[in-house]
Amino acid sequence: MLRKSFKLLLNEKLPLYTKFKGHLSTTSLVNEKWDLLTAVCLERKPVITQELNEIQKEYEELLAEVEFERSLKSDHELQHELELKQIEALKKGDSDDLDVNLKQTAQDFVDLCVEELTQFKKGSKITQDDKKNNDKSLNRKLDKHLVLLVNQKLGDQKHYLLPQGKREEGETLRQAADRVLKQCCGPNVKTQIYGNAPSGFYKYKYPKQIRNEKAVGAKVFIYFARHLEGQLPDKGVDYKWLDRQEMDKILPAEYKKSVGQLLIDE
Amino acid sequence: MSVYSLINNVARLSLQTSFSNTISRNVSTSTSLLFRATPCLMAEPLKKKKRLDPAIVRSREERKKKKIEKQIRRLEKNARQLKPIQECEVSLAILDDRSKRERNLPALSGEIVEKRILLEKKWALFKREQHLKDIQLIDRIGYSQQRAMDELRNESEELYQEALQIDFQLLPFSSQGPVETPPIKDYQPPDGDYQDISKVWQ
């Protein structure tokens, strides 16, 4: 069984690797110049945990049952049992203990606690923005990862892509990523880029009319960043916070593959 | 004969003429050391040593020995007494009426036991698949980054070296969440008094 799974792993990996090798050889054969671009994949972590699936729920129940079976009775349970016996005795009338009715019984205590719990209102898992499907809001799809996409003009077409920008002379890629993020998000948003190394890569060729000696296409180095706090400005930028499925619908096919590779699955 | 007079006697044997000079130096560059000795002044005459009764001396030493032995004994006794951990130590009251606390549940039927075993197996399979997925995921992300780095190296060695640097802003790293329900905005927790009831152990 184990061996089979490893084979599976290898099979998954092989075609990618051979494809990658093919890429390398083409670029080394022809000495083309490429524009270097930096993009930032800004992701909001889920705020709440995802709902358990069926087997997880079943197993959770089992664990609770086993824990109950192995446990010993608590003081509270003992008191409750004792009180039940006393009430029985009172009903029969062979006890004249008057104190029983005066003190708080275990059942009373439980009732009080339950009442307090029902009065407490938990934060709702489904927010207003979920109902309106406001994809500009961070307060949506709390149990999912959300990625920032910005509407950008490439050539004469507009696409929703990760915020990207050209690297300027004398800048490292990381500095470019910082700059791009700041330009896109404004001063209110706090973010953290994970490391100096890019996490993903994508390249595309310009259409033949624009292609020149300076550059035949763009190589996009994607940095991964985590959103910490703050909202983007309302005006000036056309952006969307999307989860994985929504991103799949909106991104160009090849681009989607590159971005999907550096993100964790949901 | 004092040391001083002895040195003076020996000094006469020295070949160095400067020895008898009145100029005194602390450092010598020649072979013989030029130091001067003076008789000690203003010293107190030595006291006569008191003679003690050997019996008293012996008793004193014995007392000292006993004191140390007592301390050792006390330390050894305390070594076995560990600082109690309340969470680990069950109170004696509970231990005493343990039999009262038994649940005495009826034994599980064969059907339920069977169901549980099946569920355990299903769970193990589920976790295994989850783990495999995780490995593949990590592998894929690592591959993605390696590909980016390789492409970067093809373009510029300089930028590649920059990208290899450690990001010190990232360390130390901390992360919070996710939680079960979202936080309530502007929530005022009910007031209460804080009482520290933890015991102090010396």
Side-chain angles (χ1 to χ4, degrees):
Chain A
M1 202 109 172
L2 243 175
R3 186 173 294 165
K4 204 170 149 195
S5 63
F6 275 118
K7 258 190 188 164
L8 227 149
L9 254 176
L10 279 172
N11 281 341
E12 282 263 339
K13 216 180 136 186
L14 261 172
L16 284 173
Y17 187 64
T18 44
K19 203 170 136 201
F20 168 47
K21 264 192 157 173
H23 265 297
L24 262 182
S25 56
T26 49
T27 47
S28 56
L29 273 175
V30 194
N31 209 0
E32 292 164 326
K33 290 227 167 171
W34 294 76
D35 276 337
L36 296 190
L37 262 64
T38 309
V40 184
C41 179
L42 185 62
E43 193 182 58
R44 188 214 66 184
K45 246 183 10 173
V47 180
I48 56 174
T49 47
Q50 271 185 347
E51 212 175 314
L52 301 181
N53 63 21
E54 218 157 276
I55 185 166
Q56 281 172 327
K57 271 181 196 159
E58 259 180 82
Y59 198 69
E60 195 185 25
E61 271 169 36
L62 171 66
L63 286 184
E65 275 170 32
V66 170
E67 190 176 333
F68 175 76
E69 281 157 20
R70 288 184 188 166
S71 68
L72 297 171
K73 283 178 195 163
S74 66
D75 283 349
H76 174 79
E77 283 173 291
L78 286 184
Q79 199 199 339
H80 184 56
E81 274 175 15
L82 188 75
E83 278 161 10
L84 284 181
K85 265 183 208 161
Q86 279 174 341
I87 289 168
E88 289 260 309
L90 260 184
K91 271 181 188 165
K92 278 177 193 165
D94 47 33
S95 164
D96 35 42
D97 191 0
L98 291 172
D99 285 348
V100 178
N101 292 327
L102 294 175
K103 67 187 177 189
Q104 186 197 41
T105 62
Q107 191 56 47
D108 289 345
F109 179 70
V110 171
D111 292 344
L112 259 178
C113 292
V114 170
E115 198 186 321
E116 196 181 329
L117 183 68
T118 46
Q119 269 179 9
F120 180 79
K121 270 202 116 175
K122 288 183 198 165
S124 169
K125 290 189 179 188
I126 295 164
T127 62
Q128 290 255 313
D129 291 316
D130 270 323
K131 286 171 193 160
K132 281 189 254 165
N133 207 18
N134 177 11
D135 51 19
K136 284 193 188 308
S137 165
L138 275 166
N139 200 16
R140 189 180 72 106
K141 300 220 171 191
L142 293 176
D143 59 343
K144 297 268 168 63
H145 290 89
L146 293 183
V147 173
L148 176 71
L149 296 184
V150 180
N151 203 354
Q152 289 166 99
K153 211 173 172 185
L154 286 186
D156 16 293
Q157 275 189 323
K158 276 197 156 187
H159 297 283
Y160 275 103
L161 298 173
L162 302 174
Q164 64 176 31
K166 225 179 208 174
R167 186 188 75 96
E168 281 165 11
E169 209 48 52
E171 239 180 1
T172 65
L173 281 180
R174 167 68 193 268
Q175 282 160 350
D178 278 326
R179 179 174 53 79
V180 166
L181 206 55
K182 197 124 218 196
Q183 274 173 5
C184 170
C185 299
N188 293 334
V189 179
K190 261 198 185 168
T191 56
Q192 185 173 40
I193 293 183
Y194 279 12
N196 281 323
S199 313
F201 175 77
Y202 175 68
K203 70 177 175 184
Y204 60 93
K205 286 201 168 177
Y206 296 143
K208 286 229 165 100
Q209 308 92 283
I210 317 171
R211 233 180 266 175
N212 54 22
E213 280 169 25
K214 260 189 182 167
V216 291
K219 287 190 173 181
V220 189
F221 292 93
I222 306 168
Y223 276 83
F224 182 82
R226 182 72 76 203
H227 173 269
L228 298 179
E229 59 177 54
Q231 292 277 358
L232 266 78
D234 289 335
K235 282 172 189 167
V237 217
D238 183 13
Y239 64 87
K240 281 179 175 181
W241 286 101
L242 299 183
D243 73 353
R244 302 278 192 266
Q245 276 125 23
E246 290 164 329
M247 239 167 48
D248 271 1
K249 285 178 202 155
I250 207 170
L251 287 180
E254 280 297 312
Y255 193 70
K256 186 167 71 192
K257 221 187 261 172
S258 291
V259 175
Q261 239 180 29
L262 70 99
L263 293 172
I264 62 167
D265 296 326
E266 260 186 351
Chain B
M1 197 194 283
S2 74
V3 179
Y4 177 64
S5 58
L6 184 109
I7 287 174
N8 269 348
N9 286 338
V10 177
R12 240 181 284 149
L13 297 171
S14 167
L15 292 172
Q16 200 71 20
T17 48
S18 62
F19 190 82
S20 54
N21 278 358
T22 46
I23 309 157
S24 64
R25 290 188 299 173
N26 291 329
V27 186
S28 123
T29 46
S30 61
T31 44
S32 61
L33 264 175
L34 296 173
F35 67 88
R36 298 185 301 162
T38 52
C40 53
L41 300 166
M42 292 155 70
E44 199 182 354
L46 287 171
K47 259 185 191 163
K48 206 178 177 188
K49 212 176 180 182
K50 234 186 198 170
R51 278 239 150 180
L52 272 176
D53 192 7
I56 295 175
V57 174
R58 216 179 300 137
S59 71
R60 261 188 204 173
E61 269 177 7
E62 235 160 68
R63 224 178 292 156
K64 234 188 229 169
K65 214 167 140 189
K66 257 188 192 167
K67 207 174 166 187
I68 291 171
E69 268 175 7
K70 205 177 168 190
Q71 273 179 348
I72 289 172
R73 231 181 299 137
R74 202 194 303 148
L75 278 176
E76 272 177 353
K77 204 171 142 200
N78 279 351
R80 263 173 269 127
Q81 264 183 1
L82 296 174
K83 190 169 132 184
I85 304 168
Q86 275 180 318
E87 287 83 13
C88 293
E89 254 171 48
V90 185
S91 79
L92 286 173
I94 292 178
L95 283 180
D96 282 346
D97 54 22
R98 194 197 149 101
S99 56
K100 232 167 56 183
R101 288 172 188 271
E102 299 282 359
R103 286 200 186 276
N104 296 324
L105 294 167
L108 294 171
S109 68
E111 206 178 311
I112 291 179
V113 172
E114 184 81 3
K115 207 176 123 195
R116 282 188 181 184
I117 291 171
L118 281 177
L119 182 59
E120 288 277 1
K121 284 184 177 175
K122 232 165 95 184
W123 177 252
L125 197 66
F126 169 74
K127 285 312 265 187
R128 178 179 163 276
E129 266 160 27
Q130 203 180 34
H131 177 61
L132 274 179
K133 264 188 199 160
D134 281 351
I135 293 175
Q136 280 177 341
L137 178 77
I138 293 167
D139 204 51
R140 194 192 71 208
I141 292 173
Y143 164 76
S144 170
Q145 179 157 56
Q146 193 53 51
R147 180 173 172 224
M149 289 303 271
D150 288 345
E151 287 285 348
L152 183 59
R153 196 166 202 174
N154 281 347
E155 285 303 315
S156 154
E157 178 70 25
E158 205 177 306
L159 287 178
Y160 175 76
Q161 290 300 334
E162 283 289 344
L164 280 183
Q165 298 307 311
I166 294 172
D167 181 7
F168 286 103
Q169 283 172 3
L170 203 57
L171 303 168
F173 179 79
S174 73
S175 181
Q176 274 190 341
V179 290
E180 178 66 27
T181 55
I184 302 169
K185 213 177 177 190
D186 304 326
Y187 179 69
Q188 294 288 331
D191 276 341
D193 292 326
Y194 176 74
Q195 279 180 347
D196 192 3
I197 54 160
S198 51
K199 286 174 185 161
V200 183
W201 301 95
Q202 266 101 22

